[in-house]
């Protein structure tokens, strides 16, 4: 009887292993890196994709541009291997031109706009018009802005356009490898600017508004498939899911505007 029970147990274990192997047929791992603006939606969407497909997504994060050690250009430059990049559209276009990302695989997932925060409970300055924004920037004792796409736009275009770039040299600083709102929340900056999706996810700050339309920048965040990938089919499945109607409510909830484009393949 003992031997029979042992045999039955062994058979049950073997059957369970076989079922597990069958269920995981075709399941693979894929490496995906995203920049900050899409990262909140990304973290919520990945588990849904994994459950639907059985594939495993290894998640990585870095700025769209810049030379920070964890920025996407830096990580690619030192040979880190990814299958899909999700970052600001203009930055992705550079990688396509360089041959890093396959031409014809770009899909714009969502649009992002720039806003500002102050520490929770602090007075909320006015940035609703160009003149109000200029005055608020000049009066702020310390300003934090992103080292990625939105911050580059602010420092290279908005501040000069407002005629205050020189006046902000001592008060405005670029934030590397950290959310701008986190810096404001702990009191290291009075005023912080970044994409809305990156501001909304941080506690300890109050949102004061978006940049006025005359100086606002709408940035598409886009996905592309890395040329060297061996997982192109899975990459296409993943991007297709992120661009789907199913994913749209989550993207919208995180402060971005889903685009739901058709796939180019």
């Amino acid at each position: 009887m003992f031997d029979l029970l042992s045999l039955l147990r062994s058979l049950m274990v073997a059957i369970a292993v076989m079922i597990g192997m069958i269920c995981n047929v075709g399941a693979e791992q894929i490496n995906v890196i995203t920049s900050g603006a899409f990262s909140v939606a990304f973290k919520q969407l990945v588990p849904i994709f994994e459950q639907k497909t059985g594939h495993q997504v290894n998640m990585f994060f870095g700025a769209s541009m810049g030379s920070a050690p964890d920025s996407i250009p830096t990580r690619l430059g030192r040979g880190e291997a990814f299958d899909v990049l999700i970052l600001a559209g203009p930055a992705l276009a550079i990688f396509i031109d360089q041959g890093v990302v396959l031409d014809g695989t770009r899909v714009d997932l969502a649009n992002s706009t720039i806003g500002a925060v102050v520490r929770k409970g602090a007075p909320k300055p006015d940035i609703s018009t160009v003149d109000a924004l200029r005055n608020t920037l000049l009066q702020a004792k310390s300003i934090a802005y992103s080292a990625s796409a939105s911050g580059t736009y602010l420092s290279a275009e908005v501040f000069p356009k407002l005629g205050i770039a020189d006046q902000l040299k001592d008060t405005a600083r670029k934030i590397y490898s950290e959310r701008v709102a986190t810096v404001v929340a702990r009191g290291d900056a009075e005023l912080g600017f970044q994409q809305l999706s990156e501001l909304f996810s941080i506690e300890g700050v109050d949102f004061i508004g978006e940049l006025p339309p005359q100086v606002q920048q709408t940035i598409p965040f886009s996905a592309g498939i890395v040329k060297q990938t061996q997982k192109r089919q899975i990459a296409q499945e993943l991007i297709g899911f992120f661009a789907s109607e199913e994913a749209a409510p989550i993207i919208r909830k995180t402060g971005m505007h889903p685009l739901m484009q058709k796939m180019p393949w």
Side-chain angles (χ1 to χ4, degrees):
M1 177 66 71
F2 177 79
D3 290 339
L4 181 58
L5 288 174
S6 298
L7 179 60
L8 287 172
R9 291 193 186 99
S10 298
L11 285 171
M12 290 174 66
V13 170
I15 291 170
V17 170
M18 290 178 65
I19 291 173
M21 292 174 65
I22 292 170
C23 291
N24 286 314
V25 168
E28 298 188 55
Q29 294 188 22
I30 185 171
N31 293 338
V32 184
I33 188 166
T34 182
S35 61
F38 196 75
S39 62
V40 179
F42 181 65
K43 290 175 184 177
Q44 296 181 38
L45 291 170
V46 162
I48 300 172
F49 175 78
E50 290 179 330
Q51 186 175 19
K52 286 170 66 73
T53 64
H55 299 310
Q56 179 182 331
V57 179
N58 298 319
M59 298 186 286
F60 301 87
F61 305 91
S64 291
M65 53 188 67
S67 57
D70 61 348
S71 73
I72 293 175
T74 299
R75 298 178 77 155
L76 289 170
R78 61 174 177 248
E80 292 191 42
F82 303 104
D83 301 295
V84 174
L85 307 184
I86 303 173
L87 65 164
L92 183 66
I94 293 172
F95 288 127
I96 292 173
D97 291 342
Q98 293 174 346
V100 176
V101 171
L102 286 165
D103 191 18
T105 66
R106 172 176 170 168
V107 176
D108 293 339
L109 301 175
N111 280 335
S112 179
T113 54
I114 302 169
V117 293
V118 293
R119 195 175 191 183
K120 193 170 185 63
K124 295 182 179 181
D126 184 9
I127 63 167
S128 61
T129 67
V130 172
D131 286 340
L133 174 65
R134 181 188 292 108
N135 291 335
T136 291
L137 287 167
L138 289 173
Q139 292 172 14
K141 295 179 181 178
S142 55
I143 302 163
Y145 60 92
S146 167
S148 194
S150 63
T152 299
Y153 169 70
L154 285 167
S155 60
E157 297 190 42
V158 175
F159 297 164
K161 183 176 181 178
L162 296 178
I164 57 174
D166 289 339
Q167 293 96 311
L168 299 184
K169 285 181 178 178
D170 294 331
T171 55
R173 66 186 177 101
K174 191 177 292 187
I175 304 301
Y176 293 91
S177 306
E178 188 175 20
R179 296 285 177 84
V180 167
T182 301
V183 175
V184 174
R186 66 169 179 259
D188 289 344
E190 181 179 313
L191 186 63
F193 293 87
Q194 202 163 13
Q195 273 100 4
L196 301 194
S197 58
E198 299 187 74
L199 298 176
F200 287 174
S201 61
I202 304 299
E203 296 182 358
V205 296
D206 287 331
F207 180 65
I208 62 173
E210 299 185 39
L211 294 182
Q214 297 89 335
V215 293
Q216 180 61 268
Q217 183 189 49
T218 298
I219 303 173
F221 275 77
S222 313
I225 300 173
V226 177
K227 186 176 183 179
Q228 301 301 323
T229 184
Q230 302 297 313
K231 309 287 181 62
R232 183 164 179 172
Q233 183 175 345
I234 305 171
Q236 291 176 347
E237 289 181 39
L238 179 76
I239 294 172
F241 172 66
F242 285 169
S244 70
E245 290 186 13
E246 182 180 356
I250 292 175
I251 293 173
R252 192 176 292 110
K253 185 179 67 176
T254 61
M256 303 185 80
H257 308 284
L259 299 174
M260 293 178 284
Q261 288 192 335
K262 292 183 178 180
M263 296 302 97
W265 41 79

